Amino acid sequence: MTALIDSAAARVEWIRSRMRLLAAVREQFAATRPFEGHRIGMSLHIEPKTAVLLETLAAGGAEIVGTGNHGSTQDDVVAYLQGQGMTLFGRRDDTLEQHHANVAAVLDSTPDILLDNGADLAAGIVARGAGATLIGGTEETTSGGDRLRAELLGQVPFPVIVINDSLLKQLGENKHAVGQSVVESFMRITNLMIPGRRFVVVGYGWCGRGVAQYLRALGGKVAVAEVDELKAFEAALDGFRVDTADGLAEWGEVFITATGRANVLTMSAIEHMNDGAILANCGHFPWEIDTASLRSAATATRAIDDTIERIDLPNGRHVILIAGGRMFNLAGTAPKGNSLDSMDLGFLLQVLSLERVATGASTLVAGAQPVPDDLEREIARRMVAAMGASL
């Protein structure tokens, strides 16, 4: 274990040296201590870049109690952070039930600020009928923002700043970084080439836009499955073939979901796919591909390796499922996730939004809301300066 912790420490040190926006804030927080006396409850993918985020919050006086997300936790990073005095739950091989238990353990610690991903913590607070002692929190994802504005609408009595509402995150992280990491992960995990291969990107939100455009830039033949008329129109203007997932089932060779919504790739499409079609998801929750129906219909399954699984169908064909339908750029083999530069930007949004919650919650309203405009513009100025440009 010591060797693993040392390896994690080396990776965190390297990443810390490259995340210069967070480095500047860490120095600021060490002086101002905005989180002194606060316990931050976290549910977030735990990997080296997350460690730098948590170190930044700890420098500001925060006590950290947290867990990872199902299937993406990097055990050596957990051990490293525990060695830094943080209380973290979870392992990479946790079952979904154990993950839910980890979330419950975070809530049992009675945090007063939440750093949420997928609204798991917020939903747990609502289910417990709690929340009176919470100052507020942040939510990282599209999926979590959707839950807060639908399933949990009107039930969250504290402010939650939805980081994914930020145009900065949508452009810098969702479009460009997810596009890059999905393409890199696909090539590394499958060892297949992109040029000439037929890809169907399910969803044309910011992540879908990035995935489609990066695949095309490397020579892939790309179509977009989109049911929203305006997004379908945009995809068509961007030069992509557009149809439903069912309509593209017989055309595609690789299907990548990027919607944040459940069961967007169903058995009705899977049954018409070509033999050997590859199914992968880059959304937060492992629900975009209807894996339950797929496994129920399977005549046989076989693990090719830790990330690739062959599933035989009654029609004599088979499909390849990547990472069990989980976010494959973080749940796949040797996961790297999004780029350091994009996460420096995304986590700067996080830490400054959390600072606003800790020091100015009275200026915020209850429930989901976007990043305050003044923070968005300040971060944009910092990012432009960091890129060597000027305003």
Side-chain angles (χ1 to χ4, degrees), residues 119-258:
D120 282 344
L121 294 174
I125 288 290
V126 169
R128 294 179 178 209
T133 61
L134 275 157
I135 298 171
T138 57
E139 166 55 49
E140 176 77 4
T141 64
T142 301
S143 303
D146 286 347
R147 288 184 79 186
L148 289 166
R149 294 181 171 113
E151 172 193 340
L152 302 174
L153 182 64
Q155 301 179 64
V156 178
F158 49 85
V160 182
I161 296 175
V162 181
I163 305 302
N164 201 70
D165 287 352
S166 166
L167 183 60
L168 291 174
K169 183 178 186 295
Q170 291 163 353
L171 287 170
E173 185 179 338
N174 295 6
K175 182 179 180 180
H176 287 289
V178 171
Q180 175 180 309
S181 69
V182 162
V183 169
E184 183 274 329
S185 297
F186 173 80
M187 293 189 294
R188 174 171 37 78
I189 290 169
T190 67
N191 201 28
L192 296 172
M193 67 188 298
I194 287 174
R197 186 162 265 109
R198 299 187 303 277
F199 293 86
V200 175
V201 177
V202 184
Y204 205 65
W206 286 105
C207 292
R209 290 180 182 103
V211 172
Q213 291 174 27
Y214 274 75
L215 287 169
R216 181 168 63 183
L218 289 179
K221 299 176 181 178
V222 184
V224 171
E226 180 56 76
V227 297
D228 181 277
E229 297 86 350
L230 297 179
K231 290 180 180 178
F233 173 59
E234 181 185 3
L237 286 180
D238 287 342
F240 296 106
R241 176 179 177 177
V242 182
D243 204 334
T244 63
D246 284 12
L248 292 167
E250 295 183 6
W251 179 84
E253 296 176 273
V254 180
F255 296 78
I256 301 175
T257 57

Side-chain angles (χ1 to χ4, degrees), residues 52-116:
V52 179
L53 164 67
L54 298 182
E55 288 176 339
T56 303
L57 296 173
E63 177 188 352
I64 305 293
V65 180
T67 187
N69 286 139
H70 181 232
S72 64
T73 298
Q74 296 187 24
D75 296 339
D76 56 342
V77 178
V78 171
Y80 164 78
L81 290 170
Q82 289 170 335
Q84 304 304 303
M86 300 180 198
T87 302
L88 294 179
F89 307 100
R91 294 177 51 84
R92 188 170 182 81
D93 60 0
D94 281 342
T95 63
L96 189 56
E97 292 72 22
Q98 183 58 52
H99 168 66
H100 290 153
N102 296 337
V103 171
V106 173
L107 296 179
D108 289 343
S109 74
T110 62
D112 60 344
I113 297 176
L114 300 182
L115 199 177
D116 213 350

